[in-house]
Amino acid sequence: MSNDFRVFRAAILVAALAATALVGCVPTATRGQGGNPDVRIGGGEPLRWDPAAAGDSGSANTIAQVFEGLTAFDVNSNVQPALADTWLASDDGRQITFHLRPGIRYSDGSPIAAQDVVDSWLRLIDPQAPSPLASLLDDVVGAVDYRRGAADAGAVGLRADGENVIVDLRRPATYFISVTASPSLAVVPPSMFGRLDAGPPADIVVSGAYLPSIPSSEYIRLTGNPNYWAGLPPLGVVDLVVDYGNRTAIAAFDDNAVDYTGVSGADASWIAYDANLGPQLRRTQDFNVSYYGFDTTVAPFDRSEVRLAFAKAVDWDRIVRLAGSIPATSMVPIGVPGRDDSEHRPSYDPDAARDLLSQAGFPAGQNFPPVLLATYGVGFEETVAAELEANLGVRVDVEVLDFSEYISRGHGPGSPGMWTLSWSADYPHPHDFLGLLLESGSSSNDGQWSNAEYDALLGQAAATADLAEQADIYAQAQEILEVEAPVVPLAYGESWALSREGLLGAAENGVGIIRIAGLDWAEGSGR
């Protein structure tokens, strides 16, 4: 899912299913007393509250507290049971049966039915209003045809049978169990369909651990759901602080106004040496990649020579390292199972870049049309534009948009030819980056690039559960990306946070799933 790894990710909590004990004590004069919250978390207000409509990580992190899926990720990004207590795959891997926990209920006490799961998932691929992440379900039989209006919902391989949800797959997608843990596939009660666009209604009904309300512009209050399948969360009242006023996040933490808040890598570099804040600094794994993309449907970026010339004309490693970030060597972040360690980003070679541009009919950049580079502040855009002009003779204008405006505007056909994006894993698997972003016809393939050989390799990788074999196949696929250059990986995300001593469970897993229901205060910390 898309997000800004430098700024937006640094403003949200990622908490684990399993608690990790931290030693210490925290001022507690107001905690849980007089209507005050049990914990205050630095967060961001969701762009969308509906799981089927959201496509950014900020929205997903809040939605995950409110609506629950069949499965969820633990601190190590492993899939664990949630609304489903068990699942069984057929021998050929083309059918998965999920069994719902007996007696599970929504917050209003009404039962959660298997048909509710089917109906919630169908909303993602509704041809009238498909989700930004509709392609999470592309491996389901008939899902693509239904999304494109070429079939009706009855042709989709999703059905309810008693307490079971049966999923038929068009190929043995070994990663599909992980897909079901994405917040986009959370279960929404039918009574809430179409009612979440303007935010949570006063009578909201949820399937997750918390009921939300927005009493002020400064915070979102989450109140524990007594009907949650895992029981009432240990911290029953949580405030997601979305506005620090005139203070920085660090100042708010230092003033005890928040107990957990994200910080940037630049701030982390000095916080580590602060006597008070240093012991409360946390660094965690983050499956995130920022990249540059091209609209491959129209000239000049419909030609691979032009795209590859742009990729080779910029010293990506230098500008990323100068900013203190981690240069990306491929579209798959470090730590994702099935990732190979080879360099798959085109090498920096200005001379080769100029030759490629000449081959495309633009020697020394002559007659090359002005390029508009759209961004929401991923970083380095002005430097990239300057290097492209210096090394290729190409003029690149940078347009910086507000994140919400950027997402609304889109960046596919008809939009600027070059754009930036940052993508966080929906599930910890190479397919989330190589398939969801770049497979032909995927709803998240913004540049509309298509390559039959690449698609065939993704199909081969999906059919095997052998990680070594998958890694080899995905490496072959990325060799195609290295030559075709529909995207250029830029940097891997880092996640830093200040977490109050004594707050248990405040650890980030790689997929960025927040589970505030797993938070608690250590004994003696004054909870």
Side-chain angles (χ1 to χ4, degrees), residues 320-337:
V320 172
R321 290 189 190 282
L322 285 175
S325 297
I326 304 171
T329 57
S330 76
M331 286 296 290
V332 183
I334 298 168
V336 173

Side-chain angles (χ1 to χ4, degrees), residues 399-465:
E399 180 183 30
V400 181
L401 303 171
D402 175 81
F403 182 68
S404 59
E405 182 184 359
Y406 184 85
I407 293 298
S408 299
R409 176 175 176 173
H411 34 272
S415 66
M418 190 176 180
W419 35 266
T420 62
L421 198 66
S422 187
W423 188 264
S424 287
D426 299 280
Y427 52 96
H429 195 279
H431 190 271
D432 188 66
F433 298 88
L434 302 179
L436 206 61
L437 290 177
L438 292 162
E439 191 169 14
S440 297
S442 172
S443 62
S444 297
N445 183 350
D446 297 309
Q448 300 295 295
W449 176 73
S450 180
N451 182 286
E453 183 182 358
Y454 180 85
D455 293 341
L457 287 169
L458 293 188
Q460 292 176 32
T464 177

Side-chain angles (χ1 to χ4, degrees), residues 26-30 40 244-261 276-277 280 498 500:
V26 58
T28 57
T30 60
R40 294 183 176 94
Y244 295 124
N246 294 323
R247 292 179 296 190
T248 65
I250 298 169
F253 183 88
D254 205 28
D255 292 343
N256 295 313
V258 290
D259 300 300
Y260 189 106
T261 184
N276 176 43
L277 298 177
Q280 301 177 92
L498 286 167
R500 191 75 60 195

Side-chain angles (χ1 to χ4, degrees), residues 17 64 66-73 79-87 98-107 110-114 116-118 120-121 163-165 180-181 185-189 206-209 225 227-231 515:
L17 279 165
V66 176
F67 296 108
E68 189 86 326
L70 297 184
T71 63
F73 293 113
V79 179
Q80 301 292 346
L83 294 182
D85 56 3
T86 59
W87 50 85
F98 296 89
H99 181 264
L100 297 187
R101 294 178 184 273
I104 53 176
R105 297 183 177 276
Y106 293 112
S107 57
S110 59
I112 299 176
D116 296 349
V117 179
V118 172
S120 292
W121 288 11
E163 294 183 331
N164 295 324
V165 177
T180 64
L185 297 184
V187 179
V188 176
V206 306
S207 57
N225 171 15
N227 287 316
Y228 183 49
W229 67 267
R515 292 193 69 82

Side-chain angles (χ1 to χ4, degrees), residues 47-72:
L47 297 177
R48 307 297 293 269
W49 280 87
D50 189 339
D56 65 289
S57 66
S59 296
N61 274 289
T62 301
I63 287 170
Q65 317 312 317
V66 176
F67 296 108
E68 189 86 326
L70 297 184
T71 63

Side-chain angles (χ1 to χ4, degrees), residues 70 84-90 94-100 159 161 163-169 176-177:
L70 297 184
D85 56 3
T86 59
W87 50 85
L88 179 67
S90 62
R94 293 177 180 269
Q95 185 179 90
I96 304 174
T97 301
F98 296 89
H99 181 264
L100 297 187
R159 63 186 186 278
D161 182 10
E163 294 183 331
N164 295 324
V165 177
I166 302 172
V167 183
D168 294 315
L169 301 173
F176 189 78
I177 297 296

